[in-house]
Amino acid sequence: MSRPSEEAVGTRRSRLRIVVIQALVFSLFATLLVRLYYLQVVSGEQYTAQAASQSVRDIVEQPQRGLIVDDMGRPLVTNRLAWVVSVDRTLLGKLPGRDRKELLDRVASVTGVPVKALERRLVTCGDEGSVTGTCWNGSPYQPVPVATDVEREVALRILEQPEDYPGVLAEQQSVRAYPRPYGINLAHVLGYLSPVTAEELEQAEADGEDSVNGASVVGRAGVEKEYDAWLRGVPGTQSVAVDSMGRVLGEDSQVQARPGDTLVTSIDAKVQAVVEQQLAETIRTARQTRDTVTGRNYVADSGAVVVLEADTGRVVAMASQPTYDPEVWVGGISDDELARLYSEAAGTPLLGRATQGQFAPGSTWKPFMTAGALTNGYSTDTRLDCSSSFTVGNRPFRNYESGAYGFIGFDKALEVSCNTFFYRVGYAYWQRFGSDEADVDAFDPLVEEAKDFGFGKRTGIDLPGEAAGRIADRRWKREYYQSMKDFYCGISEKPQDSKTSDFVYKFAYEFCLEGYAYRAGDAANFAIGQGDTIVTPLQLARAYGALANGGTLYAPRVGKAIVGPDGSVVQRIPPKKVGTVDVPQSTLGYIDDALKGVTRQGTMAWRMGGFPLDEVEIRSKTGSAEVYGKQSTSWVASYSDDYVVVMMVSQGGTGSGTSGPAIRAIWEALYGIEGERVVPARAAIPGTVPPTQLPEFLADGSILPPARTPGKRDER
């Protein structure tokens, strides 16, 4: 057979290649058609939705924060509209570098915010270059606020010249306002707000909390913090259609924000105004008064007043000095302003002395020592020598101005505030139970009584940051010695230098040797509220409240009720009983009568002349606490059947001498006293409040609807 020609073989190979190519082309077209069918038919709706979502932006709408009102419905904290300038980072990022810089320069020029500050505010928290406190915590698709509370003219300029401010928005938003009824300040009770932190936002997301977002502000102090979950409300969302440049084309959908609830407090703005005025005036007067011991005017560096309802523990008024303007936090606080609030030179205005200041109680401590003595061996028939001085070891402990009254009972000792009487009581207990100086577990009736009245621990008030005070007993002294012995031993083991006074050098030497020992002098000092024991004005007021109401200790309350945006009561905040003092009613009655004597003929009598004591019986105790290196702290603690009023002025002088006039003025305001006549006032019907615009809260005592969980979004 003849072999196929080369031409025939070539032809067959060409045909085979064509068939293969055709098959490949057909396969590609088939694959393409199948893919198109899948995309357009099978998954068409999904991809259509995704494409649409890329042109829709969700913008968070911040809720209007709830109001804070006093117990008469007077507004203490409200909201007002403020112009806020924001920058759309999506559009800003599409601008050329030069145009971006020029735009930020223009924004900085009209708002007064430096360009560097603008740049920091536009960085998302967590990204490179972010600065805690100034970076943006919110959605990356939401305009970033860069200037708050700007002038109306600035906002209008931005709105009227959009071609010069592309991506820059000016809109009105709600910010905090302080109506100041009767001119009150109340800063330490109300507190302030600041932006949520990245950590708080992460925690909220982990907890499933939907009332906080990156643009939220949260309470940082006072009732703004304590009741933040109720006050903040729940944000809403608005979906808007945007073009490729991020410009809004129209609204798509909206979920309305829910406003925050209103907090009704127990504060009486009218009484608060009197309290603040009297405290400020007392400090001014003290600074113009010469201290006869030092020969210079009193420093009067701080002070506080607390007014409580005796039978409920509710706070009627509370003031501290120095204070600050709560408006300073609105729209963001400057570094200079913040530094001043923390500055010791300015008196640390952020520190609320009523709940956070800790001071030696002085003679206001003696009623509780009387209770401890009368329930541990002493009786109302006991008579002890009120001599001008009492020697413990080799040290004389003296009466104020070395006065002497002979042998007297506890009632007279309280009336004239005899130190040596109570020195003898404290020393006798030390001899009987605790002469072993190293025994930290030795029984001390006076220490136990102080603890029973709630001293040495927080009262539980509904305000954050409360101090616990301190009972300087044996165990505390041992712990203090362990923590400080290296410091004082370091001083005593070196030669004394010119910077170390003789007193400090001697103290360091003795402390290094036996600083752990609870000596007779410690016990004597404890009995008159001196030494290392310290209390807050609120703790003292709560303890005097127990004297007034028969022995019940309350956790003081500022909040009274939560009222919803529709005016309905969401939750009442009832008084909270936390304990009962273990003192017989007969003993409490004896102390009560003795403190009446303090007002009528004792150390407070010269300040209460002409006051209608037969109609409004005031019990009181004065105190002048001495602290090494400082001037005396002035105290007056007082109460009636309805209220407790306590006042303290640090380095302000004597009790009644400095604080007496203010205490009287506050009582006159509480009971509407004019001269020697009592007129209808707040205390006419104790515990009641006249109707206002919050009738469901202030009127009947009907059962409330179930409480809503704070911060959770309502079903829509």
Side-chain angles (χ1 to χ4, degrees), residues 60 62 136-139 142-143 145 173 195-196 201 212-218:
V60 177
Q62 297 303 325
W136 172 241
N137 273 333
S139 167
Q142 185 172 347
Q173 294 182 6
V196 65
L201 191 58
V212 180
N213 59 78
S216 295
V217 291
V218 295

Side-chain angles (χ1 to χ4, degrees), residues 55-136:
S55 62
V56 175
R57 178 179 301 171
D58 287 334
I59 298 177
V60 177
E61 289 189 348
Q62 297 303 325
Q64 180 168 297
R65 194 168 174 87
L67 308 181
I68 301 175
V69 302
D70 80 348
D71 72 341
M72 303 287 283
R74 306 179 187 104
L76 304 175
V77 184
T78 60
N79 300 295
R80 62 179 173 82
L81 291 176
W83 286 100
V84 177
V85 175
S86 304
V87 174
D88 188 334
R89 295 188 301 175
T90 302
L91 183 56
L92 187 67
K94 296 179 180 181
L95 295 177
R98 182 175 179 179
D99 292 346
R100 182 182 189 277
K101 182 181 183 304
E102 289 180 354
L103 176 60
L104 292 180
D105 285 341
R106 283 196 293 272
V107 173
S109 176
V110 296
T111 62
V113 179
V115 173
K116 288 185 178 180
L118 290 176
E119 294 277 12
R120 288 197 298 267
R121 295 177 189 183
L122 292 171
V123 177
T124 300
C125 293
D127 288 355
E128 184 179 356
S130 62
V131 179
T132 301
T134 59
C135 57
W136 172 241

Side-chain angles (χ1 to χ4, degrees), residues 188-190 221-223 226 318 355 460-466 556-558:
H188 296 103
V189 173
L190 298 176
V223 292
E226 190 74 16
M318 184 182 290
T355 61
I461 189 174
D462 52 347
L463 292 175
E466 180 189 8
R557 286 286 175 265
V558 175

Side-chain angles (χ1 to χ4, degrees), residues 55-59 61 171 237-243 247-256:
S55 62
V56 175
R57 178 179 301 171
D58 287 334
I59 298 177
E61 289 189 348
E171 58 185 352
T237 56
Q238 181 180 14
S239 298
V240 296
V242 296
D243 62 14
R247 292 185 288 262
V248 176
L249 301 176
E251 295 184 4
D252 187 63
S253 63
Q254 185 175 19
V255 177
Q256 291 287 345

Side-chain angles (χ1 to χ4, degrees), residues 702-716:
S702 59
I703 297 175
L704 299 173
R708 181 176 64 246
T709 302
K712 294 298 182 183
R713 187 182 296 275
D714 294 344
E715 294 296 326
R716 303 197 185 270

